[in-house]
Protein backbone atom coordinates (compact mmCIF):
# COMPACT_ATOMS: atom_id res chain seq x y z
CA UNK A 1 0.00 0.00 0.00
CA UNK A 2 1.46 3.40 -0.96
CA UNK A 3 1.19 6.43 1.27
CA UNK A 4 -1.48 7.93 -0.96
CA UNK A 5 -3.60 4.83 -0.41
CA UNK A 6 -3.25 4.76 3.38
CA UNK A 7 -6.12 6.02 5.50
CA UNK A 8 -5.99 9.74 6.18
CA UNK A 9 -5.98 9.18 9.93
CA UNK A 10 -2.74 7.16 10.06
CA UNK A 11 0.28 8.95 11.49
CA UNK A 12 3.88 7.81 11.29
CA UNK A 13 6.81 8.85 13.45
CA UNK A 14 9.25 8.73 10.54
CA UNK A 15 7.69 11.77 8.88
CA UNK A 16 10.34 14.38 8.35
CA UNK A 17 9.92 17.98 7.52
CA UNK A 18 11.36 20.35 5.00
CA UNK A 19 13.16 22.51 7.53
CA UNK A 20 10.70 25.39 7.33
CA UNK A 21 8.87 26.71 10.37
CA UNK A 22 5.24 26.14 9.52
CA UNK A 23 2.27 24.25 10.90
CA UNK A 24 3.44 20.98 9.32
CA UNK A 25 6.97 21.23 10.71
CA UNK A 26 7.16 21.20 14.49
CA UNK A 27 10.42 21.97 16.24
CA UNK A 28 13.15 19.43 16.92
CA UNK A 29 12.04 16.58 19.15
CA UNK A 30 8.33 17.32 18.69
CA UNK A 31 6.05 14.72 17.15
CA UNK A 32 4.43 15.60 13.87
CA UNK A 33 0.77 15.16 13.14
CA UNK A 34 1.33 15.12 9.39
CA UNK A 35 -0.29 12.09 7.76
CA UNK A 36 1.43 10.21 4.94
CA UNK A 37 -1.02 11.73 2.46
CA UNK A 38 -0.39 15.23 3.80
CA UNK A 39 3.35 14.60 3.61
CA UNK A 40 3.30 13.47 -0.03
CA UNK A 41 1.04 16.40 -0.94
CA UNK A 42 3.37 18.84 0.86
CA UNK A 43 6.40 17.34 -0.89
CA UNK A 44 4.64 17.64 -4.26
CA UNK A 45 3.77 21.30 -3.59
CA UNK A 46 7.39 21.98 -2.63
CA UNK A 47 8.59 20.37 -5.87
CA UNK A 48 6.14 22.50 -7.85
CA UNK A 49 7.48 25.68 -6.23
CA UNK A 50 11.08 24.62 -6.88
CA UNK A 51 10.18 23.74 -10.47
CA UNK A 52 8.69 27.20 -11.06
CA UNK A 53 11.92 28.87 -9.96
CA UNK A 54 14.29 26.64 -11.92
CA UNK A 55 12.14 26.46 -15.05
CA UNK A 56 12.12 30.22 -15.39
CA UNK A 57 15.89 30.45 -15.10
CA UNK A 58 16.64 27.62 -17.49
CA UNK A 59 14.12 28.85 -20.06
CA UNK A 60 15.57 32.38 -20.06
CA UNK A 61 19.11 31.03 -20.34
CA UNK A 62 18.13 28.58 -23.08
CA UNK A 63 16.37 31.33 -25.04
CA UNK A 64 19.49 33.49 -24.79
CA UNK A 65 21.66 30.60 -26.00
CA UNK A 66 19.43 29.97 -29.00
CA UNK A 67 19.61 33.61 -30.04
CA UNK A 68 23.42 33.72 -29.92
CA UNK A 69 23.78 31.65 -33.10
CA UNK A 70 21.98 34.35 -35.06
CA UNK A 71 24.34 37.20 -34.13
CA UNK A 72 27.08 38.50 -36.40
CA UNK A 73 29.71 37.84 -33.70
CA UNK A 74 28.88 34.12 -33.70
CA UNK A 75 30.43 33.76 -37.16
CA UNK A 76 33.76 34.94 -35.71
CA UNK A 77 33.97 32.15 -33.12
CA UNK A 78 36.79 29.64 -33.38
CA UNK A 79 36.08 25.90 -33.68
CA UNK A 80 36.66 25.32 -29.94
CA UNK A 81 34.22 28.09 -29.01
CA UNK A 82 31.63 26.69 -31.43
CA UNK A 83 32.08 23.31 -29.75
CA UNK A 84 31.54 24.90 -26.35
CA UNK A 85 28.44 26.61 -27.73
CA UNK A 86 26.98 23.35 -29.09
CA UNK A 87 27.71 21.60 -25.78
CA UNK A 88 26.08 24.45 -23.90
CA UNK A 89 22.92 24.38 -26.03
CA UNK A 90 22.62 20.59 -25.66
CA UNK A 91 23.10 20.84 -21.88
CA UNK A 92 20.51 23.65 -21.76
CA UNK A 93 18.01 21.56 -23.71
CA UNK A 94 18.62 18.57 -21.43
CA UNK A 95 18.22 20.76 -18.32
CA UNK A 96 14.98 22.18 -19.72
CA UNK A 97 13.65 18.67 -20.36
CA UNK A 98 14.57 17.45 -16.85
CA UNK A 99 13.10 20.47 -15.10
CA UNK A 100 9.83 20.45 -17.05
CA UNK A 101 9.41 16.64 -16.94
CA UNK A 102 7.73 16.57 -13.48
CA UNK A 103 4.83 18.59 -14.90
CA UNK A 104 4.41 16.18 -17.81
CA UNK A 105 4.68 13.12 -15.57
CA UNK A 106 2.08 14.56 -13.21
CA UNK A 107 -0.27 15.34 -16.09
CA UNK A 108 0.00 11.81 -17.52
CA UNK A 109 -0.36 10.06 -14.15
CA UNK A 110 -3.01 12.20 -12.46
CA UNK A 111 -5.69 9.99 -10.98
CA UNK A 112 -3.59 6.82 -11.14
CA UNK A 113 -2.87 6.76 -7.38
CA UNK A 114 0.85 7.04 -8.03
CA UNK A 115 1.64 10.27 -6.23
CA UNK A 116 4.44 8.67 -4.16
CA UNK A 117 6.18 7.50 -7.32
CA UNK A 118 5.54 10.83 -9.07
CA UNK A 119 7.03 12.79 -6.16
CA UNK A 120 10.08 10.51 -5.95
CA UNK A 121 10.70 10.63 -9.70
CA UNK A 122 10.11 14.39 -9.85
CA UNK A 123 12.64 14.92 -7.06
CA UNK A 124 15.26 12.91 -8.93
CA UNK A 125 14.55 14.73 -12.19
CA UNK A 126 14.90 18.05 -10.38
CA UNK A 127 18.31 17.03 -9.03
CA UNK A 128 19.40 15.90 -12.49
CA UNK A 129 18.06 19.12 -14.01
CA UNK A 130 19.93 21.22 -11.47
CA UNK A 131 23.21 19.47 -12.31
CA UNK A 132 22.55 20.06 -16.01
CA UNK A 133 21.61 23.68 -15.29
CA UNK A 134 24.84 24.25 -13.35
CA UNK A 135 26.81 22.76 -16.25
CA UNK A 136 24.89 24.93 -18.71
CA UNK A 137 25.67 28.04 -16.69
CA UNK A 138 29.32 27.02 -16.43
CA UNK A 139 29.61 26.45 -20.19
CA UNK A 140 27.79 29.73 -20.90
CA UNK A 141 30.24 31.55 -18.65
CA UNK A 142 33.15 29.81 -20.32
CA UNK A 143 31.91 30.82 -23.76
CA UNK A 144 31.38 34.45 -22.76
CA UNK A 145 34.55 34.83 -20.71
CA UNK A 146 36.74 33.20 -23.39
CA UNK A 147 35.46 35.86 -25.76
CA UNK A 148 36.11 38.71 -23.31
CA UNK A 149 39.21 37.71 -21.30
CA UNK A 150 42.67 36.79 -22.56
CA UNK A 151 44.59 33.63 -21.61
CA UNK A 152 43.48 31.11 -19.03
CA UNK A 153 41.77 33.66 -16.79
CA UNK A 154 38.37 32.66 -18.22
CA UNK A 155 38.92 28.99 -17.32
CA UNK A 156 40.09 29.90 -13.81
CA UNK A 157 37.05 32.11 -13.18
CA UNK A 158 34.66 29.46 -14.53
CA UNK A 159 36.34 26.84 -12.34
CA UNK A 160 35.87 29.08 -9.29
CA UNK A 161 32.21 29.71 -10.15
CA UNK A 162 31.56 25.99 -10.68
CA UNK A 163 33.22 25.26 -7.33
CA UNK A 164 30.88 27.83 -5.76
CA UNK A 165 27.88 26.14 -7.40
CA UNK A 166 29.04 22.79 -6.04
CA UNK A 167 29.42 24.22 -2.56
CA UNK A 168 26.09 26.09 -2.53
CA UNK A 169 23.91 23.59 -4.37
CA UNK A 170 25.35 20.27 -3.18
CA UNK A 171 27.97 20.37 -0.42
CA UNK A 172 26.02 22.73 1.87
CA UNK A 173 22.72 20.81 1.64
CA UNK A 174 24.54 17.50 2.22
CA UNK A 175 26.32 18.99 5.24
CA UNK A 176 23.03 20.29 6.64
CA UNK A 177 21.43 16.88 6.07
CA UNK A 178 24.25 15.11 7.95
CA UNK A 179 24.03 17.66 10.77
CA UNK A 180 20.27 17.10 11.05
CA UNK A 181 20.77 13.31 11.04
CA UNK A 182 23.34 13.57 13.86
CA UNK A 183 21.04 15.91 15.79
CA UNK A 184 18.06 13.59 15.43
CA UNK A 185 20.29 10.66 16.42
CA UNK A 186 21.20 12.41 19.69
CA UNK A 187 17.53 13.24 20.35
CA UNK A 188 16.54 9.59 19.85
CA UNK A 189 19.21 8.34 22.29
Amino acid sequence: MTTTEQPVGSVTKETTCCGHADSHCPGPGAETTETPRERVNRRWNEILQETRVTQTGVQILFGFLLSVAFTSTFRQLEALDRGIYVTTVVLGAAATASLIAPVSIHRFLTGQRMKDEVVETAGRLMMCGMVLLALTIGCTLLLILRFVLPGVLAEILVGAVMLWFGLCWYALPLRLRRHAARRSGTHDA
Side-chain angles (χ1 to χ4, degrees):
M1 182 184 289
T2 65
T3 57
T4 55
E5 295 171 341
Q6 291 177 350
V8 174
S10 69
V11 178
T12 63
K13 281 182 141 181
E14 65 185 76
T15 303
T16 59
C17 96
C18 58
H20 300 290
D22 62 15
S23 62
H24 292 296
C25 298
E31 291 221 15
T32 181
T33 58
E34 187 177 50
T35 66
R37 179 176 284 162
E38 290 170 336
R39 180 174 185 258
V40 77
N41 286 334
R42 175 185 49 79
R43 288 182 64 214
W44 177 248
N45 286 330
E46 289 170 357
I47 286 172
L48 285 179
Q49 291 302 320
E50 293 162 359
T51 300
R52 286 182 183 113
V53 171
T54 55
Q55 276 180 356
T56 302
V58 77
Q59 288 171 339
I60 290 169
L61 179 58
F62 190 57
F64 161 75
L65 289 171
L66 292 177
S67 69
V68 167
F70 299 102
T71 65
S72 60
T73 309
F74 184 78
R75 290 178 188 83
Q76 299 170 8
L77 292 180
E78 298 172 8
L80 177 60
D81 292 327
R82 285 178 185 252
I84 294 170
Y85 173 76
V86 169
T87 302
T88 305
V89 169
V90 170
L91 286 170
T96 301
S98 293
L99 294 170
I100 294 176
V103 176
S104 176
I105 290 170
H106 179 262
R107 185 54 27 224
F108 275 97
L109 299 178
T110 295
Q112 301 298 312
R113 295 184 171 263
M114 296 179 65
K115 195 171 232 176
D116 291 356
E117 293 86 353
V118 168
V119 168
E120 189 67 30
T121 302
R124 288 189 174 145
L125 283 165
M126 289 290 296
M127 288 300 297
C128 177
M130 288 172 54
V131 168
L132 292 167
L133 178 58
L135 292 172
T136 304
I137 292 169
C139 286
T140 303
L141 268 177
L142 182 60
L143 185 63
I144 292 169
L145 293 180
R146 279 180 50 87
F147 191 75
V148 175
L149 297 173
V152 296
L153 184 57
E155 288 83 359
I156 293 169
L157 288 173
V158 170
V161 169
M162 294 311 293
L163 179 62
W164 183 247
F165 268 89
L167 290 171
C168 291
W169 285 12
Y170 303 102
L172 179 61
L174 289 174
R175 183 172 185 266
L176 292 171
R177 179 187 280 182
R178 277 191 227 113
H179 178 70
R182 279 193 304 262
R183 188 178 57 224
S184 70
T186 59
H187 287 300
D188 293 342

